Amino acid sequence: MDNLTIDSRSVEGISHSAFDAIIAEFGEDSDEGQSGGVWTVPSVGDSQFIGGKLVDEAIARPRYDDPFAPTVLGVDIARFGSDSTVLVVRKGRDLVSIRKFKGLDTMQVVGRVIEAIDKYAPDLTVLDEGGLGAGVLDRLHEQRYKVRGVNFGSRADTAAYANKRAEMWGSMKEWLKTASIGSQDKNAQAANRDLKTDLCAPQYKLNSNGAILLESKADIKKRGGASPDAGDSVAVTFAYPVANKAVNALKDSKKCNSRRTGSKSAAGARMS
């Protein structure tokens, strides 16, 4: 039987802006474009947001070790007993570290985050501020740590996504096309397998506005999957833009030169 092809933009009563945004960002022939605009009714399993092949290629890819790449610490905090609190360190296109903890209270999570900040000196630290995350964020701010929170359910910056969580996963998916995420630990095979399971866990659909909506952790569990805590912790590293260190160094240099020029001009004016 032939596949059924539908152009969603021609259906009366459906918002076109989200579909147009999806196609503009991903292209009409991409998985997202096929689901958001002109599409063929998918077979079972095609609703997986990140495919295994993409993850396998990222695991096999060698490290870049870019000295100018910004370092970002991402934290996903456990909400339920079976979930893990996960701390991820990403340096540009390299996934540097993943650490998982179970059964931590708020202050213990704060301690682990501080340890990671002291060890990796990240340019940005971001954590999921929902649930227990709010208490962790408040305590870190009290101790004068520069940490930013992100609400997964908040509004996305682009119309292609239904919320911030979906948008962050979308940025992560794009990053995976050139990223290096293979574990460097002695138990690398198991670590890579667990990370792949997390990254490939969520399915997606389009909401009533045609925007991409990721499957919730609760729904993943209902169909027998595990909570993608590591996937969410990598995703939060894409919550906010972080400038390349070389760009920051250039900006600092220009500011310094500008101050020097200004000082010389002022001195010259006083002498005259």
Side-chain angles (χ1 to χ4, degrees):
M1 188 175 85
D2 293 336
N3 289 325
L4 175 63
T5 301
I6 302 171
D7 187 340
S8 301
R9 293 164 293 182
S10 67
V11 178
E12 185 178 354
I14 291 181
S15 171
H16 299 172
S17 59
F19 294 149
D20 292 339
I22 290 171
I23 291 172
E25 181 162 349
F26 299 104
E28 192 166 284
D29 294 330
S30 67
D31 292 339
E32 294 83 356
Q34 291 289 305
S35 293
V38 181
W39 56 280
T40 302
V41 175
S43 61
V44 175
D46 285 349
S47 59
Q48 185 180 38
F49 188 65
I50 294 178
K53 184 174 182 291
L54 181 62
V55 178
D56 287 337
E57 291 173 349
I59 289 173
R61 197 170 287 124
R63 290 289 183 95
Y64 293 91
D65 293 322
D66 180 359
F68 297 109
T71 300
V72 185
L73 171 62
V75 185
D76 182 59
I77 300 168
R79 300 190 181 204
F80 305 102
S82 60
D83 295 349
S84 298
T85 291
V86 184
L87 279 69
V88 160
V89 179
R90 177 176 66 84
K91 184 175 175 63
R93 289 180 286 179
D94 291 332
L95 190 59
V96 177
S97 172
I98 298 179
R99 296 196 67 192
K100 298 182 179 182
F101 306 94
K102 283 187 177 292
L104 300 186
D105 62 28
T106 299
M107 294 311 299
Q108 288 173 322
V109 174
V110 170
R112 293 298 186 180
V113 173
I114 291 174
E115 286 178 5
I117 291 173
D118 291 342
K119 180 176 181 179
Y120 294 102
D123 299 285
L124 175 66
T125 299
V126 186
L127 59 86
D128 171 15
E129 65 182 9
L132 298 178
V136 175
L137 186 66
D138 288 344
R139 184 57 179 159
L140 288 167
H141 285 165
E142 287 173 2
Q143 298 191 39
R144 299 291 189 269
Y145 283 95
K146 294 181 179 179
V147 180
R148 296 190 69 175
V150 60
N151 187 323
F152 282 13
S154 62
R155 185 176 179 178
D157 293 329
T158 60
Y161 299 101
N163 55 32
K164 191 66 178 179
R165 180 173 182 248
E167 184 177 52
M168 292 187 299
W169 273 75
S171 297
M172 178 174 65
K173 181 178 181 178
E174 187 65 26
W175 169 77
L176 283 169
K177 295 177 182 178
T178 58
S180 170
I181 66 172
S183 173
Q184 304 293 305
D185 297 337
K186 60 181 180 180
N187 297 320
Q189 186 173 1
N192 290 337
R193 182 184 63 244
D194 291 346
L195 178 58
K196 180 180 178 180
T197 298
D198 273 21
L199 293 175
C200 296
Q203 297 181 356
Y204 76 101
K205 62 181 180 181
L206 302 182
N207 66 10
S208 59
N209 292 320
I212 294 172
L213 179 65
L214 278 190
E215 184 180 25
S216 69
K217 288 184 176 182
D219 287 341
I220 293 173
K221 290 180 179 180
K222 284 179 183 178
R223 59 179 176 84
S227 179
D229 302 317
D232 275 337
S233 62
V234 178
V236 300
T237 67
F238 295 95
Y240 305 106
V242 187
N244 186 286
K245 290 183 178 180
V247 174
N248 284 334
L250 180 61
K251 288 181 179 179
D252 291 342
S253 177
K254 287 182 176 180
K255 287 180 181 179
C256 184
N257 290 335
S258 177
R259 285 195 294 269
R260 288 175 180 172
T261 302
S263 297
K264 289 180 180 179
S265 299
R270 287 196 296 272
M271 290 178 65
S272 60

